[in-house]
Amino acid sequence: MSRIYFDNAATTRVDDEVINAMIPFFTQNYAIASSIFSHDDGIIAQEAIEGARELILNKLSAKDYKCIFTSGPTESNNLAIKGLSFAKHSGNIVVSKIEDLSIINTVKFLQKKGFEIRYVDVDSKGFVNLDHLKQLIDDNTILVSIQHANQEIGTIQDLSAIGEICKQKNCAYHCDATFSFPFFDIDLSTLNIDMLTIGSDTYYGPKGASALIVKNSIELEPLITGGYQEYNLRAGTQNIPAIIGMKKAIEIFDKKTLEYIKSLKDYFLEKINQIQHIRINSPQDASHPSIVNVTFLYIEGESLTLRLNLKGVSVITGSACFSKSLEASHVLLSCGLTHELAHGSIRFSFGKYNTFEEIDKTIEYLKEDVAFLRRLSPLYKED
Amino acid sequence: METFESHFFNPIRDTVIQPSGVGVRENKEFNAKIIFYVNIKDSIITAVDYKIKACPVAIAVASFLAKTFKNKPVDEALGIDLNFLDTHLLNIPKQRIECGNFALEAFKEAIINAKEAQ
């Protein structure tokens, strides 16, 4: 059975061109960059890394920044938040309530170490309340960390407005752009962002690569000590094949790909209206081009997900087993959704390898399974 | 042996038009609700049905109970616990067995109410 993969916000298939770019760094140019002072193979490795660094910084118009390669967005987020907090020693950190767990659980960790954590409210579609943000920042605020695109509902925050508030309040701003880069242009020469996290594996690059883009004036404590790699901020041999793969993925992600993904999402949104009693949790505007989060009223999301899985459709739910914690999604609850709405939610995320036929098929499966589960439900009364 | 999957994907139900006992369990946090309906005659469960909005484990357990205890003595049904489910319904994830208890409690309540109504 050929499966239908609508979980592209979690990770994507790696593009063949990306794999082809990576292979020589496994089989031919497998030296490490630290050997630059010893042999030519090391120079090739070093040049490859620097080429990737340059491409990323140029893409982001990041002139006064450095690009630190890490093992993934979780590590980049940890380095940004813990690294800055450890350098500052004390103070408060402001984050939105709907950040990824790599942010939420990192600030919870710092809370135990004596830092004060303040959470910014979001509205029903996940947009940060800018007035609340202004109220929360004070003279002791060392860092604001607010994401660009939300991982579950796709809300896109106004980076310009958030950056401006941080600038006025004179505090550092870290933005987790794992889910938005390179879907959206991010121009660091105009945005007041001090640190930016980008990933690789949600736009057809490999896992194991990410970068934290850091303004040169920002002081960080390294989390991993050892060698002198990555400006002494991230010790350890660089994962050169993954870095090269990430570079290639950025190079080949073009407008055509973006437009195709957007058209899949638009088509899905048109078709999903054939099913009654649904709630689209993603915002209509300022929304990620690939992500649609939908609640199917009167049923439970995990049951629907499992039935779709049997038919070969991969999606995720904001319901109980979403994180194996038996708790509903913190994102949906923070947006003010009731437990009922949060537990009935499914995230569909589209990618360039998906087709319109796959959406048609999935809509038919959804009609069958939603109707089946509603017939069982004590809350559902047929129209 | 019956599996969690078979009961979840093809839940077995019955028809209970005028139940002699009804049992209800609701969990607001998980927004789950189950209503069991049973008929009892001469201490034998003659029909079992349910309505459920819950996770796959609870649905599978409800189906399993409806199938297993039709035409069985009331006391046999009242005597079972989570261990019985764990032993007789294969593949329930261990950490989710509690979800089955949600259905089991509603089932037993329906039987007790039916006994009391007689």
Side-chain angles (χ1 to χ4, degrees), chain A residues 309-339:
Chain A
N309 180 53
L310 183 78
K311 293 174 178 173
V313 181
S314 299
V315 291
I316 63 159
T317 174
S319 186
C321 257
F322 179 66
S323 61
K324 307 284 181 207
S325 68
L326 300 183
E327 289 170 4
S329 146
H330 72 284
V331 171
L332 297 173
L333 294 179
S334 297
C335 291
L337 268 70
T338 60
H339 280 277

PDB file of all heavy atoms in Angstrom, chain A residues 309-339:
ATOM      1  N   ASN A 309      -4.606   6.052   9.868  1.00  0.00           N
ATOM      2  CA  ASN A 309      -3.322   5.345   9.741  1.00  0.00           C
ATOM      3  C   ASN A 309      -3.526   3.964   9.119  1.00  0.00           C
ATOM      4  O   ASN A 309      -2.751   3.533   8.268  1.00  0.00           O
ATOM      5  CB  ASN A 309      -2.664   5.225  11.121  1.00  0.00           C
ATOM      6  CG  ASN A 309      -1.343   4.496  11.040  1.00  0.00           C
ATOM      7  OD1 ASN A 309      -0.475   4.843  10.258  1.00  0.00           O
ATOM      8  ND2 ASN A 309      -1.196   3.448  11.829  1.00  0.00           N
ATOM      9  N   LEU A 310      -4.603   3.283   9.528  1.00  0.00           N
ATOM     10  CA  LEU A 310      -4.885   1.946   8.975  1.00  0.00           C
ATOM     11  C   LEU A 310      -5.095   2.021   7.466  1.00  0.00           C
ATOM     12  O   LEU A 310      -4.748   1.095   6.733  1.00  0.00           O
ATOM     13  CB  LEU A 310      -6.122   1.352   9.640  1.00  0.00           C
ATOM     14  CG  LEU A 310      -6.475  -0.061   9.192  1.00  0.00           C
ATOM     15  CD1 LEU A 310      -5.562  -1.070   9.878  1.00  0.00           C
ATOM     16  CD2 LEU A 310      -7.917  -0.404   9.480  1.00  0.00           C
ATOM     17  N   LYS A 311      -5.629   3.154   7.012  1.00  0.00           N
ATOM     18  CA  LYS A 311      -5.864   3.325   5.574  1.00  0.00           C
ATOM     19  C   LYS A 311      -4.646   3.907   4.867  1.00  0.00           C
ATOM     20  O   LYS A 311      -4.697   4.214   3.679  1.00  0.00           O
ATOM     21  CB  LYS A 311      -7.092   4.219   5.363  1.00  0.00           C
ATOM     22  CG  LYS A 311      -8.368   3.526   5.826  1.00  0.00           C
ATOM     23  CD  LYS A 311      -9.563   4.424   5.777  1.00  0.00           C
ATOM     24  CE  LYS A 311     -10.790   3.630   6.214  1.00  0.00           C
ATOM     25  NZ  LYS A 311     -11.981   4.441   6.358  1.00  0.00           N
ATOM     26  N   GLY A 312      -3.588   4.123   5.620  1.00  0.00           N
ATOM     27  CA  GLY A 312      -2.339   4.564   4.998  1.00  0.00           C
ATOM     28  C   GLY A 312      -2.115   6.063   5.008  1.00  0.00           C
ATOM     29  O   GLY A 312      -1.276   6.562   4.258  1.00  0.00           O
ATOM     30  N   VAL A 313      -2.852   6.785   5.866  1.00  0.00           N
ATOM     31  CA  VAL A 313      -2.676   8.235   5.918  1.00  0.00           C
ATOM     32  C   VAL A 313      -1.982   8.617   7.226  1.00  0.00           C
ATOM     33  O   VAL A 313      -2.449   8.264   8.307  1.00  0.00           O
ATOM     34  CB  VAL A 313      -4.038   8.969   5.827  1.00  0.00           C
ATOM     35  CG1 VAL A 313      -3.832  10.484   5.858  1.00  0.00           C
ATOM     36  CG2 VAL A 313      -4.782   8.559   4.567  1.00  0.00           C
ATOM     37  N   SER A 314      -0.871   9.333   7.110  1.00  0.00           N
ATOM     38  CA  SER A 314      -0.111   9.747   8.298  1.00  0.00           C
ATOM     39  C   SER A 314      -0.415  11.193   8.653  1.00  0.00           C
ATOM     40  O   SER A 314      -0.074  12.108   7.903  1.00  0.00           O
ATOM     41  CB  SER A 314       1.393   9.625   8.034  1.00  0.00           C
ATOM     42  OG  SER A 314       1.730   8.296   7.752  1.00  0.00           O
ATOM     43  N   VAL A 315      -1.075  11.366   9.796  1.00  0.00           N
ATOM     44  CA  VAL A 315      -1.326  12.704  10.341  1.00  0.00           C
ATOM     45  C   VAL A 315      -1.107  12.625  11.854  1.00  0.00           C
ATOM     46  O   VAL A 315      -0.964  11.540  12.397  1.00  0.00           O
ATOM     47  CB  VAL A 315      -2.774  13.201  10.063  1.00  0.00           C
ATOM     48  CG1 VAL A 315      -2.982  13.478   8.589  1.00  0.00           C
ATOM     49  CG2 VAL A 315      -3.813  12.202  10.580  1.00  0.00           C
ATOM     50  N   ILE A 316      -1.095  13.772  12.512  1.00  0.00           N
ATOM     51  CA  ILE A 316      -0.978  13.728  13.972  1.00  0.00           C
ATOM     52  C   ILE A 316      -2.150  14.467  14.611  1.00  0.00           C
ATOM     53  O   ILE A 316      -2.831  15.262  13.970  1.00  0.00           O
ATOM     54  CB  ILE A 316       0.347  14.310  14.490  1.00  0.00           C
ATOM     55  CG1 ILE A 316       0.473  15.794  14.142  1.00  0.00           C
ATOM     56  CG2 ILE A 316       1.532  13.519  13.989  1.00  0.00           C
ATOM     57  CD1 ILE A 316       1.463  16.510  15.033  1.00  0.00           C
ATOM     58  N   THR A 317      -2.333  14.195  15.899  1.00  0.00           N
ATOM     59  CA  THR A 317      -3.449  14.781  16.625  1.00  0.00           C
ATOM     60  C   THR A 317      -2.960  15.600  17.816  1.00  0.00           C
ATOM     61  O   THR A 317      -1.885  15.334  18.356  1.00  0.00           O
ATOM     62  CB  THR A 317      -4.403  13.678  17.133  1.00  0.00           C
ATOM     63  OG1 THR A 317      -5.405  14.275  17.944  1.00  0.00           O
ATOM     64  CG2 THR A 317      -3.677  12.633  17.962  1.00  0.00           C
ATOM     65  N   GLY A 318      -3.762  16.564  18.199  1.00  0.00           N
ATOM     66  CA  GLY A 318      -3.468  17.341  19.406  1.00  0.00           C
ATOM     67  C   GLY A 318      -4.098  16.691  20.617  1.00  0.00           C
ATOM     68  O   GLY A 318      -4.214  17.295  21.672  1.00  0.00           O
ATOM     69  N   SER A 319      -4.500  15.452  20.469  1.00  0.00           N
ATOM     70  CA  SER A 319      -5.190  14.753  21.536  1.00  0.00           C
ATOM     71  C   SER A 319      -4.225  14.033  22.463  1.00  0.00           C
ATOM     72  O   SER A 319      -3.016  14.202  22.386  1.00  0.00           O
ATOM     73  CB  SER A 319      -6.179  13.769  20.936  1.00  0.00           C
ATOM     74  OG  SER A 319      -6.948  13.197  21.956  1.00  0.00           O
ATOM     75  N   ALA A 320      -4.801  13.178  23.282  1.00  0.00           N
ATOM     76  CA  ALA A 320      -4.099  12.556  24.399  1.00  0.00           C
ATOM     77  C   ALA A 320      -2.693  12.059  24.101  1.00  0.00           C
ATOM     78  O   ALA A 320      -1.744  12.456  24.757  1.00  0.00           O
ATOM     79  CB  ALA A 320      -4.944  11.428  24.948  1.00  0.00           C
ATOM     80  N   CYS A 321      -2.564  11.184  23.147  1.00  0.00           N
ATOM     81  CA  CYS A 321      -1.284  10.526  22.959  1.00  0.00           C
ATOM     82  C   CYS A 321      -0.325  11.326  22.105  1.00  0.00           C
ATOM     83  O   CYS A 321       0.730  10.847  21.746  1.00  0.00           O
ATOM     84  CB  CYS A 321      -1.457   9.148  22.356  1.00  0.00           C
ATOM     85  SG  CYS A 321      -1.253   7.902  23.614  1.00  0.00           S
ATOM     86  N   PHE A 322      -0.710  12.547  21.817  1.00  0.00           N
ATOM     87  CA  PHE A 322       0.112  13.400  20.969  1.00  0.00           C
ATOM     88  C   PHE A 322       1.567  13.362  21.424  1.00  0.00           C
ATOM     89  O   PHE A 322       2.488  13.244  20.652  1.00  0.00           O
ATOM     90  CB  PHE A 322      -0.419  14.824  21.024  1.00  0.00           C
ATOM     91  CG  PHE A 322       0.357  15.802  20.208  1.00  0.00           C
ATOM     92  CD1 PHE A 322       0.379  15.684  18.837  1.00  0.00           C
ATOM     93  CD2 PHE A 322       1.061  16.827  20.795  1.00  0.00           C
ATOM     94  CE1 PHE A 322       1.085  16.586  18.066  1.00  0.00           C
ATOM     95  CE2 PHE A 322       1.773  17.732  20.032  1.00  0.00           C
ATOM     96  CZ  PHE A 322       1.785  17.602  18.673  1.00  0.00           C
ATOM     97  N   SER A 323       1.774  13.488  22.719  1.00  0.00           N
ATOM     98  CA  SER A 323       3.141  13.487  23.215  1.00  0.00           C
ATOM     99  C   SER A 323       3.353  12.348  24.202  1.00  0.00           C
ATOM    100  O   SER A 323       4.262  12.394  25.012  1.00  0.00           O
ATOM    101  CB  SER A 323       3.432  14.805  23.907  1.00  0.00           C
ATOM    102  OG  SER A 323       2.552  14.965  24.994  1.00  0.00           O
ATOM    103  N   LYS A 324       2.500  11.358  24.139  1.00  0.00           N
ATOM    104  CA  LYS A 324       2.544  10.226  25.072  1.00  0.00           C
ATOM    105  C   LYS A 324       2.327  10.695  26.521  1.00  0.00           C
ATOM    106  O   LYS A 324       2.631   9.982  27.456  1.00  0.00           O
ATOM    107  CB  LYS A 324       3.874   9.461  24.987  1.00  0.00           C
ATOM    108  CG  LYS A 324       4.243   9.011  23.586  1.00  0.00           C
ATOM    109  CD  LYS A 324       3.451   7.818  23.142  1.00  0.00           C
ATOM    110  CE  LYS A 324       3.863   7.386  21.753  1.00  0.00           C
ATOM    111  NZ  LYS A 324       2.827   6.708  21.024  1.00  0.00           N
ATOM    112  N   SER A 325       1.865  11.926  26.685  1.00  0.00           N
ATOM    113  CA  SER A 325       1.718  12.435  28.044  1.00  0.00           C
ATOM    114  C   SER A 325       0.268  12.354  28.516  1.00  0.00           C
ATOM    115  O   SER A 325      -0.033  12.681  29.647  1.00  0.00           O
ATOM    116  CB  SER A 325       2.163  13.889  28.106  1.00  0.00           C
ATOM    117  OG  SER A 325       1.250  14.684  27.383  1.00  0.00           O
ATOM    118  N   LEU A 326      -0.601  11.953  27.631  1.00  0.00           N
ATOM    119  CA  LEU A 326      -2.040  11.871  27.886  1.00  0.00           C
ATOM    120  C   LEU A 326      -2.666  13.253  28.108  1.00  0.00           C
ATOM    121  O   LEU A 326      -3.765  13.369  28.581  1.00  0.00           O
ATOM    122  CB  LEU A 326      -2.362  10.960  29.076  1.00  0.00           C
ATOM    123  CG  LEU A 326      -1.908   9.516  28.956  1.00  0.00           C
ATOM    124  CD1 LEU A 326      -2.347   8.719  30.169  1.00  0.00           C
ATOM    125  CD2 LEU A 326      -2.466   8.868  27.696  1.00  0.00           C
ATOM    126  N   GLU A 327      -1.933  14.293  27.777  1.00  0.00           N
ATOM    127  CA  GLU A 327      -2.487  15.633  27.924  1.00  0.00           C
ATOM    128  C   GLU A 327      -2.768  16.217  26.539  1.00  0.00           C
ATOM    129  O   GLU A 327      -2.025  15.949  25.591  1.00  0.00           O
ATOM    130  CB  GLU A 327      -1.495  16.548  28.640  1.00  0.00           C
ATOM    131  CG  GLU A 327      -1.336  16.213  30.109  1.00  0.00           C
ATOM    132  CD  GLU A 327      -0.178  16.950  30.748  1.00  0.00           C
ATOM    133  OE1 GLU A 327       0.459  17.774  30.065  1.00  0.00           O
ATOM    134  OE2 GLU A 327       0.083  16.671  31.926  1.00  0.00           O
ATOM    135  N   ALA A 328      -3.806  17.039  26.471  1.00  0.00           N
ATOM    136  CA  ALA A 328      -4.101  17.684  25.191  1.00  0.00           C
ATOM    137  C   ALA A 328      -3.002  18.703  24.883  1.00  0.00           C
ATOM    138  O   ALA A 328      -2.281  19.153  25.769  1.00  0.00           O
ATOM    139  CB  ALA A 328      -5.454  18.368  25.272  1.00  0.00           C
ATOM    140  N   SER A 329      -2.902  19.072  23.624  1.00  0.00           N
ATOM    141  CA  SER A 329      -1.868  19.989  23.158  1.00  0.00           C
ATOM    142  C   SER A 329      -1.857  21.312  23.936  1.00  0.00           C
ATOM    143  O   SER A 329      -2.892  21.968  24.082  1.00  0.00           O
ATOM    144  CB  SER A 329      -2.135  20.277  21.683  1.00  0.00           C
ATOM    145  OG  SER A 329      -1.782  21.584  21.358  1.00  0.00           O
ATOM    146  N   HIS A 330      -0.682  21.711  24.429  1.00  0.00           N
ATOM    147  CA  HIS A 330      -0.574  22.978  25.168  1.00  0.00           C
ATOM    148  C   HIS A 330      -0.840  24.160  24.240  1.00  0.00           C
ATOM    149  O   HIS A 330      -1.300  25.211  24.685  1.00  0.00           O
ATOM    150  CB  HIS A 330       0.806  23.106  25.831  1.00  0.00           C
ATOM    151  CG  HIS A 330       1.943  23.376  24.883  1.00  0.00           C
ATOM    152  ND1 HIS A 330       2.491  22.408  24.080  1.00  0.00           N
ATOM    153  CD2 HIS A 330       2.612  24.514  24.585  1.00  0.00           C
ATOM    154  CE1 HIS A 330       3.463  22.948  23.352  1.00  0.00           C
ATOM    155  NE2 HIS A 330       3.556  24.208  23.629  1.00  0.00           N
ATOM    156  N   VAL A 331      -0.588  23.989  22.958  1.00  0.00           N
ATOM    157  CA  VAL A 331      -0.823  25.072  22.000  1.00  0.00           C
ATOM    158  C   VAL A 331      -2.322  25.355  21.900  1.00  0.00           C
ATOM    159  O   VAL A 331      -2.779  26.492  22.042  1.00  0.00           O
ATOM    160  CB  VAL A 331      -0.253  24.719  20.610  1.00  0.00           C
ATOM    161  CG1 VAL A 331      -0.677  25.737  19.561  1.00  0.00           C
ATOM    162  CG2 VAL A 331       1.265  24.610  20.665  1.00  0.00           C
ATOM    163  N   LEU A 332      -3.089  24.299  21.665  1.00  0.00           N
ATOM    164  CA  LEU A 332      -4.529  24.482  21.473  1.00  0.00           C
ATOM    165  C   LEU A 332      -5.208  24.970  22.759  1.00  0.00           C
ATOM    166  O   LEU A 332      -6.090  25.825  22.715  1.00  0.00           O
ATOM    167  CB  LEU A 332      -5.165  23.179  20.984  1.00  0.00           C
ATOM    168  CG  LEU A 332      -4.644  22.706  19.616  1.00  0.00           C
ATOM    169  CD1 LEU A 332      -5.181  21.325  19.284  1.00  0.00           C
ATOM    170  CD2 LEU A 332      -5.018  23.680  18.524  1.00  0.00           C
ATOM    171  N   LEU A 333      -4.773  24.435  23.894  1.00  0.00           N
ATOM    172  CA  LEU A 333      -5.360  24.890  25.162  1.00  0.00           C
ATOM    173  C   LEU A 333      -4.997  26.358  25.416  1.00  0.00           C
ATOM    174  O   LEU A 333      -5.828  27.129  25.892  1.00  0.00           O
ATOM    175  CB  LEU A 333      -4.898  24.004  26.327  1.00  0.00           C
ATOM    176  CG  LEU A 333      -5.379  22.542  26.290  1.00  0.00           C
ATOM    177  CD1 LEU A 333      -4.823  21.762  27.481  1.00  0.00           C
ATOM    178  CD2 LEU A 333      -6.908  22.422  26.268  1.00  0.00           C
ATOM    179  N   SER A 334      -3.766  26.747  25.065  1.00  0.00           N
ATOM    180  CA  SER A 334      -3.349  28.154  25.258  1.00  0.00           C
ATOM    181  C   SER A 334      -4.133  29.097  24.355  1.00  0.00           C
ATOM    182  O   SER A 334      -4.296  30.279  24.675  1.00  0.00           O
ATOM    183  CB  SER A 334      -1.856  28.322  24.974  1.00  0.00           C
ATOM    184  OG  SER A 334      -1.107  27.575  25.880  1.00  0.00           O
ATOM    185  N   CYS A 335      -4.594  28.576  23.223  1.00  0.00           N
ATOM    186  CA  CYS A 335      -5.414  29.400  22.315  1.00  0.00           C
ATOM    187  C   CYS A 335      -6.854  29.488  22.813  1.00  0.00           C
ATOM    188  O   CYS A 335      -7.714  30.059  22.147  1.00  0.00           O
ATOM    189  CB  CYS A 335      -5.409  28.824  20.902  1.00  0.00           C
ATOM    190  SG  CYS A 335      -3.824  28.953  20.085  1.00  0.00           S
ATOM    191  N   GLY A 336      -7.122  28.883  23.956  1.00  0.00           N
ATOM    192  CA  GLY A 336      -8.450  28.969  24.550  1.00  0.00           C
ATOM    193  C   GLY A 336      -9.404  27.890  24.085  1.00  0.00           C
ATOM    194  O   GLY A 336     -10.596  27.936  24.394  1.00  0.00           O
ATOM    195  N   LEU A 337      -8.904  26.897  23.351  1.00  0.00           N
ATOM    196  CA  LEU A 337      -9.797  25.813  22.947  1.00  0.00           C
ATOM    197  C   LEU A 337     -10.171  24.989  24.172  1.00  0.00           C
ATOM    198  O   LEU A 337      -9.341  24.796  25.071  1.00  0.00           O
ATOM    199  CB  LEU A 337      -9.118  24.901  21.908  1.00  0.00           C
ATOM    200  CG  LEU A 337      -9.361  25.259  20.442  1.00  0.00           C
ATOM    201  CD1 LEU A 337      -8.635  26.544  20.084  1.00  0.00           C
ATOM    202  CD2 LEU A 337      -8.896  24.122  19.535  1.00  0.00           C
ATOM    203  N   THR A 338     -11.396  24.509  24.186  1.00  0.00           N
ATOM    204  CA  THR A 338     -11.807  23.629  25.273  1.00  0.00           C
ATOM    205  C   THR A 338     -11.102  22.281  25.090  1.00  0.00           C
ATOM    206  O   THR A 338     -10.562  21.995  24.021  1.00  0.00           O
ATOM    207  CB  THR A 338     -13.322  23.375  25.216  1.00  0.00           C
ATOM    208  OG1 THR A 338     -13.604  22.758  23.940  1.00  0.00           O
ATOM    209  CG2 THR A 338     -14.116  24.663  25.347  1.00  0.00           C
ATOM    210  N   HIS A 339     -11.141  21.462  26.134  1.00  0.00           N
ATOM    211  CA  HIS A 339     -10.562  20.122  26.014  1.00  0.00           C
ATOM    212  C   HIS A 339     -11.242  19.356  24.885  1.00  0.00           C
ATOM    213  O   HIS A 339     -10.599  18.600  24.165  1.00  0.00           O
ATOM    214  CB  HIS A 339     -10.684  19.357  27.331  1.00  0.00           C
ATOM    215  CG  HIS A 339      -9.635  19.754  28.324  1.00  0.00           C
ATOM    216  ND1 HIS A 339      -8.378  19.216  28.312  1.00  0.00           N
ATOM    217  CD2 HIS A 339      -9.656  20.656  29.323  1.00  0.00           C
ATOM    218  CE1 HIS A 339      -7.660  19.770  29.281  1.00  0.00           C
ATOM    219  NE2 HIS A 339      -8.403  20.639  29.906  1.00  0.00           N
TER     220      HIS A 339
END
